[in-house]
Amino acid sequence: DGGITQSPKYLFRKEGQNVTLSCEQNLNHDAMYWYRQDPGQGLRLIYYSQIVNDFQKGDIAEGYSVSREKKESFPLTVTSAQKNPTAFYLCASSILRERNQPQHFGDGTRLSIL
Amino acid sequence: ILNVEQSPQSLHVQEGDSTNFTCSFPSSNFYALHWYRWETAKSPEALFVMTLNGDEKKKGRISATLNTKEGYSYLYIKGSQPEDSATYLCAFPGVMEYGNKLVFGAGTILRVKS
């Protein structure tokens, strides 16, 4: 079955540590996204990528980095510069440049501070 | 800055009740309006993508209407069941500089008691 796989499901970060969240899709979608969810807020866009080796900052990119070396993969690194990383992170993908096509989501990763 | 508002924030209904909630979005430069259902411990799932003013879409007991001139969409659930308990998100495509960039509302949390 086609879909998006995020791992791990739960992740703990120590102070000063970088951690990487994995996102893999086999939907053959060109566009991939990372969102962050905090209680009582909508999903906020961190980074997005429309093509391999290209990505753009979203609304809350500070303290995060991404790479897009393969079409299927869009890992997100939460760096030590992100002072409030505790949140739920969702990865999504969609057909490129089609605003009337839905996004497909993974199951998410919950990141907490030790 | 795009603003997508959803109301109410949460809703508790009895099994068998019909219910509805609202998504408000900018009425200018409309292209599409997305509805997603997000059940606990699962990934968000697309319900509808609506593109035409006056459009009405239906999926089982769930239906949605769209008014692009006044900038709102209603989601209706007829005869709510406990399995309808979820967070319902609406999203509006942002400026399409790079790909399908969605701006999400904070969601309406629906709890259906049996």
Side-chain angles (χ1 to χ4, degrees):
Chain A
D1 280 338
I4 298 184
T5 302
Q6 287 188 243
S7 62
K9 206 174 180 74
Y10 300 96
L11 188 57
F12 297 91
R13 196 191 89 167
K14 293 180 184 177
E15 291 288 340
Q17 186 183 39
N18 292 354
V19 291
T20 297
L21 285 60
S22 170
C23 178
E24 304 277 331
Q25 55 101 356
N26 61 4
L27 298 166
N28 200 33
H29 285 166
D30 288 298
M32 296 187 74
Y33 312 84
W34 275 105
Y35 294 95
R36 169 179 170 140
Q37 195 211 21
D38 294 281
Q41 294 196 41
L43 299 178
R44 291 185 292 165
L45 185 65
I46 305 172
Y47 266 98
Y48 58 113
S49 166
Q50 60 172 351
I51 198 167
V52 173
N53 293 323
D54 184 64
F55 45 82
Q56 308 296 329
K57 290 183 180 180
D59 302 315
I60 53 166
E62 187 175 345
Y64 299 97
S65 66
V66 292
S67 63
R68 187 89 186 273
E69 295 176 7
K70 296 187 298 181
K71 186 175 183 177
E72 302 78 25
S73 178
F74 191 40
L76 174 75
T77 296
V78 184
T79 74
S80 57
Q82 172 49 246
K83 297 306 177 192
N84 185 21
T86 298
F88 190 73
Y89 292 86
L90 273 173
C91 178
S93 71
S94 71
I95 296 171
L96 180 65
R97 288 190 177 273
E98 293 293 338
R99 286 178 288 175
N100 63 350
Q101 293 295 318
Q103 291 190 3
H104 298 256
F105 290 86
D107 288 341
T109 293
R110 186 165 297 281
L111 176 61
S112 304
I113 296 293
L114 278 179
Chain B
I1 296 177
L2 280 181
N3 203 25
V4 179
E5 302 279 348
Q6 290 190 248
S7 63
Q9 191 172 8
S10 66
L11 206 47
H12 292 254
V13 301
Q14 288 292 131
E15 182 176 356
D17 287 350
S18 293
T19 187
N20 67 86
F21 25 94
T22 307
C23 174
S24 301
F25 52 85
S27 55
S28 58
N29 298 317
F30 179 84
Y31 190 89
L33 192 280
H34 295 221
W35 280 103
Y36 294 84
R37 174 170 60 198
W38 191 2
E39 295 177 67
T40 303
K42 294 187 178 179
S43 54
E45 169 199 12
L47 283 172
F48 308 113
V49 178
M50 308 185 78
T51 56
L52 298 174
N53 185 40
D55 207 4
E56 181 170 345
K57 290 196 182 252
K58 195 171 179 182
K59 187 174 183 176
R61 292 177 293 97
I62 303 177
S63 60
T65 60
L66 179 68
N67 184 324
T68 61
K69 295 187 190 316
E70 296 181 39
Y72 65 83
S73 176
Y74 292 138
L75 191 79
Y76 299 91
I77 303 179
K78 186 177 175 182
S80 303
Q81 299 297 309
E83 58 264 31
D84 296 327
S85 297
T87 299
Y88 291 83
L89 301 170
C90 69
F92 186 81
V95 174
M96 204 173 82
E97 299 165 34
Y98 302 102
N100 180 0
K101 182 180 165 183
L102 290 177
V103 176
F104 282 84
T108 292
I109 301 170
L110 175 67
R111 292 290 174 255
V112 182
K113 284 186 71 173
S114 56

